[in-house]
Amino acid sequence: MIIKCTVAYDGWAYAGWQKQENALGIQEIIESALEKIHKKPTSIVASGRTDAKVHALGQVFHFESDGKIEPASYVRALNSLLPLDIRIQSAEKAEDDFHARFSCRSKRYLYIATKNQRDPFACRTKGILYQDLNIEKMIEACHILIGTHDFTTFSSSRIDPRKSRVKTIKMISIEKRDQDYHFLFEGNGFLRYQVRMMTGTLIEVGKETITPQDVQKMLDLKDKEACRYNASPQGLYLMEVCY
């Protein structure tokens, strides 16, 4: 039986989703909890990785179960073993061909940046700004990034060169809420650092240190060295994985 779970987590204290040798990843913690429940090692597969300090409200993973436990019972069982900053939101039986990564059709990410420097909790949950941003200029730059493009410029140099850098961005919206700026992205998939690098670039447009035309030039270059902007990880949230 394939069990599909949705998990939310505060990524501040972790080295990202992926299990690692010399650091603590969220995958390792969940697999450890499942091992206690199943009395044997259980591997999980996620929709994708999140980096160190990045959060999630709707990360999805799957694992195989022998069917002795009702799917919905995994919510209570796992949450009783997991730390309070990792919370299972739902668990259900999935189709036999379901795959958390390969069945994914699109993802939605939210980035929150704030100008409120008096909030002592913001350093863990938001990117910090030191000036107001020009939303009109940022929205103009968003239109350049929306669509199907080679996003090499906005990606990590550590990505396997054999993998395609072509992704489709379906939507980008920017909204100001009090002293916060919300950047919402939806796409069929994202390269490593892509959302953070696009956000960092849009913020620079908002600060008027670069122009929307500069963003077009950066995108057209398809060169990892063309973009040096990367928003801080703690402002990023994986909101939803769509199947």
Side-chain angles (χ1 to χ4, degrees), residues 45-209:
V45 178
S47 68
R49 306 172 185 175
T50 52
D51 292 320
K53 301 186 187 302
V54 172
H55 316 293
L57 295 179
Q59 172 70 287
V60 174
F61 66 88
H62 80 262
F63 61 89
E64 293 189 11
S65 168
D66 59 13
K68 294 180 180 178
I69 299 174
E70 286 295 318
S73 298
Y74 278 105
V75 176
R76 184 179 59 167
L78 282 168
N79 282 338
S80 70
L81 296 169
L82 293 170
L84 293 175
D85 54 3
I86 303 175
R87 298 283 88 188
I88 304 299
Q89 303 298 300
S90 65
E92 59 186 275
K93 182 181 182 298
E95 298 295 329
D96 291 340
D97 62 351
F98 175 80
H99 193 283
R101 178 182 175 190
F102 298 126
S103 300
C104 171
R105 297 177 61 187
S106 65
K107 294 181 181 179
R108 291 167 68 93
Y109 280 91
L110 173 67
Y111 193 93
I112 303 177
T114 186
K115 194 167 171 284
N116 182 3
Q117 299 165 32
R118 295 186 179 182
D119 180 359
F121 305 104
C123 64
R124 295 177 55 133
T125 59
K126 302 174 183 178
I128 306 301
L129 299 172
Y130 297 93
Q131 66 184 79
D132 289 320
L133 303 178
N134 185 326
I135 289 186
E136 289 73 21
K137 289 291 185 182
M138 291 192 292
I139 291 175
E140 182 181 344
C142 286
H143 294 304
I144 295 167
L145 298 172
I146 292 171
T148 302
H149 306 288
D150 181 325
F151 283 98
T152 297
T153 296
F154 302 96
S155 67
S156 166
S157 58
R158 294 171 59 185
I159 296 175
D160 188 333
R162 295 170 294 181
K163 294 184 178 180
S164 174
R165 263 62 167 198
V166 176
K167 299 293 180 182
T168 298
I169 303 299
K170 300 179 179 181
M171 179 271 293
I172 306 175
S173 69
I174 303 175
E175 180 182 358
K176 186 176 183 183
R177 300 185 182 181
D178 193 17
Q179 297 189 72
D180 292 354
Y181 294 84
H182 286 217
F183 299 77
L184 185 63
F185 301 84
E186 181 176 356
N188 69 345
F190 295 91
L191 302 169
R192 189 177 189 196
Y193 296 158
Q194 183 181 344
V195 177
R196 287 171 52 198
M197 292 183 74
M198 290 191 300
T199 303
T201 301
L202 291 171
I203 287 174
E204 291 303 315
V205 172
K207 291 161 61 177
E208 301 184 357
T209 57

Side-chain angles (χ1 to χ4, degrees), residues 216-228:
Q216 182 70 67
K217 292 176 184 176
M218 292 162 64
L219 181 65
D220 291 343
L221 282 171
K222 303 181 182 65
D223 180 0
K224 177 63 186 71
E225 302 304 319
C227 178
R228 63 181 186 275

